[in-house]
Amino acid sequence: MISVSDAFSKFRSRLELTDREQEDASRRHYEIRDYLKSKFDIERDFLTGSYKRWTKTKPLKDVDIFCVLGAKERHRRDKPSAELLKAFEDALVEKYGRANVSRQRRSVTVDFGVTPNADEDTDGKVMSVDVVPAFTKNKHYEIADTSVKSGWTETNPEMHYDLAVKAQERYSGEWKGIVRMCKKWNAFHGKPIKPSFLIEVMALEVLHPPFGGDLRYEIKALLASLADRIHEAWADPAGLGPPVSDSMDKAACDAARSALMKGSDAAARAIQIERQGKNGDALRAWRSDVFGPLFPLS
Ligand SMILES: Nc1ncnc2c1ncn2[C@@H]1O[C@H](COP(=O)(O)OP(=O)(O)OP(=O)(O)O)[C@@H](O)[C@H]1O
Ligand SMILES: [Mg+2]
């Protein structure tokens, strides 16, 4: 049987992007960019978000594709942002079908109809992408945001990228792995924290270096710290967009806090079971009570 510490190492690497997933993400990126370029004036486009930062969890879905619009599309900035998203939605529906395309707050999602198996494996396939139309603004970008009054949000994905790189360095290369695990916990428990980017933003502040050396205790402590501070307002770490916590009202924060405390208690119990020498039970506790089927039993 595998030890709990080896199971954590295996779990951490299972949450990393594989070569095949990156090839598939790149293939989908080029396919969508080539198509959209026939419909819009797109100056530049790139993969971004947690995918690019290596903080995305599995199964791999909602990979962000930024499409920076050129001068010919500038007129769209003077209209409501919902119209820009609608134009992208309509174009993508033409290619991928009505049932596979949906509009979000800041993006348009294209679903590729990939279903993960019982072990949450997608056989190297990306399940969906989020297409984000963007305008350049100074040294950063402005994107549609139908949940804020102005209709537009400024963002700087490069700065988010740099912050994650720095956090990773300060945390002995373990920070991103811990964020991915915590996002997995969140997804397995029905997403009490929304958006999952909020977990990453909170982790920038609540994971104090140095890395403690033991992922079991790191996870238990992180869930407890998130519970303690989930009611606070969490600003965009680049200082541009609206608070990242703006879609969690008091009731959502209360529910998240209670789920996080349960998560931390479940981690404490799994640690206790292992201390009693019951390795198999401890593995099952981490899997069924904390992380779900991606946490290995062997
Ligand atoms: N409130 C905000 N203000 C400014 N930029 C934001 C804000 N929220 C998100 N972003 C930027 O948009 C990107 C995409 O947002 P998204 O919600 O997909 O998060 P993500 O980090 O990609 O996480 P996920 O793993 O859920 O996809 C973020 O990575 C971040 O760079
Ligand atoms: Mg994303």
Side-chain angles (χ1 to χ4, degrees):
M1 199 196 313
I2 192 170
S3 70
V4 175
S5 138
D6 287 348
F8 263 91
S9 304
K10 196 166 174 181
F11 180 48
R12 181 183 46 200
S13 61
R14 277 187 182 177
L15 296 180
E16 268 167 18
L17 298 168
T18 64
D19 290 347
R20 287 174 68 218
E21 283 166 334
Q22 291 177 80
E23 280 157 25
D24 197 51
S26 165
R27 175 177 74 87
R28 292 300 196 181
H29 169 208
Y30 289 137
E31 167 188 304
I32 286 190
R33 110 140 30 133
D34 286 345
Y35 172 67
L36 288 175
K37 276 194 162 172
S38 73
K39 301 272 177 186
F40 300 97
D41 175 21
I42 295 174
E43 206 171 80
R44 251 162 4 98
D45 50 82
F46 50 91
L47 295 173
T48 181
S50 58
Y51 173 86
K52 177 72 184 188
R53 291 194 301 273
W54 218 252
T55 51
K56 198 141 202 63
T57 198
K58 297 286 184 78
L60 186 55
K61 57 177 160 192
D62 303 339
V63 171
D64 295 292
I65 305 178
F66 237 58
C67 296
V68 184
L69 300 172
K72 287 188 195 124
E73 308 295 344
R74 193 74 217 176
H75 65 101
R76 297 181 188 275
R77 177 60 187 81
D78 304 324
K79 311 240 172 62
S81 58
E83 287 184 25
L84 171 63
L85 292 177
K86 172 85 167 52
F88 269 68
E89 181 186 24
D90 289 347
L92 289 162
V93 163
E94 251 182 70
K95 183 166 169 69
Y96 294 99
R98 180 62 277 177
N100 301 313
V101 176
S102 55
R103 215 184 321 162
Q104 316 295 329
R105 167 178 179 176
R106 302 182 177 118
S107 62
V108 179
T109 304
V110 180
D111 197 301
F112 302 121
V114 174
T115 313
N117 68 15
D119 295 328
E120 301 193 319
D121 185 33
T122 61
D123 196 27
K125 294 280 187 292
V126 174
M127 295 172 67
S128 60
V129 295
D130 282 349
V131 178
V132 187
F135 295 104
T136 329
K137 176 157 183 182
N138 306 325
K139 289 197 166 133
H140 53 270
Y141 305 94
E142 199 169 34
I143 59 177
D145 187 342
T146 52
S147 296
V148 295
K149 219 167 149 197
S150 71
W152 305 91
T153 272
E154 292 182 39
T155 188
N156 189 338
E158 283 90 6
M159 193 179 280
H160 296 153
Y161 182 91
D162 292 344
L163 287 169
V165 169
K166 279 195 203 102
Q168 177 78 345
E169 278 168 10
R170 285 197 301 262
Y171 224 75
S172 312
E174 298 287 347
W175 188 86
K176 294 185 182 186
I178 293 168
V179 168
R180 287 195 298 268
M181 286 182 193
C182 192
K183 283 182 161 186
K184 186 69 251 183
W185 167 84
N186 190 47
F188 182 55
H189 293 272
K191 296 234 173 99
I193 302 183
K194 279 193 201 91
S196 70
F197 181 51
L198 177 56
I199 293 174
E200 187 171 338
V201 168
M202 291 179 77
L204 286 172
E205 204 169 309
V206 307
L207 282 179
H208 298 288
F211 169 56
D214 188 328
L215 288 168
R216 289 164 274 218
Y217 288 94
E218 292 283 329
I219 291 294
K220 169 177 145 342
L222 176 59
L223 293 171
S225 307
L226 296 180
D228 273 349
R229 301 193 54 190
I230 192 69
H231 285 81
E232 295 175 23
W234 290 87
D236 167 18
L240 289 169
V244 178
S245 51
D246 71 355
S247 41
M248 302 236 345
D249 59 12
K250 166 85 167 56
C253 288
D254 289 348
R257 179 177 155 84
S258 135
L260 284 159
M261 289 193 318
K262 264 197 211 149
S264 180
D265 289 350
R269 251 189 339 269
I271 291 169
Q272 197 56 39
I273 295 169
E274 186 188 351
R275 281 217 201 107
Q276 293 162 358
K278 300 182 214 160
N279 191 64
D281 288 344
L283 291 170
R284 278 185 288 277
W286 281 110
R287 180 178 168 113
S288 57
D289 302 340
V290 186
F291 295 121
L294 270 178
F295 190 84
L297 296 178
S298 59

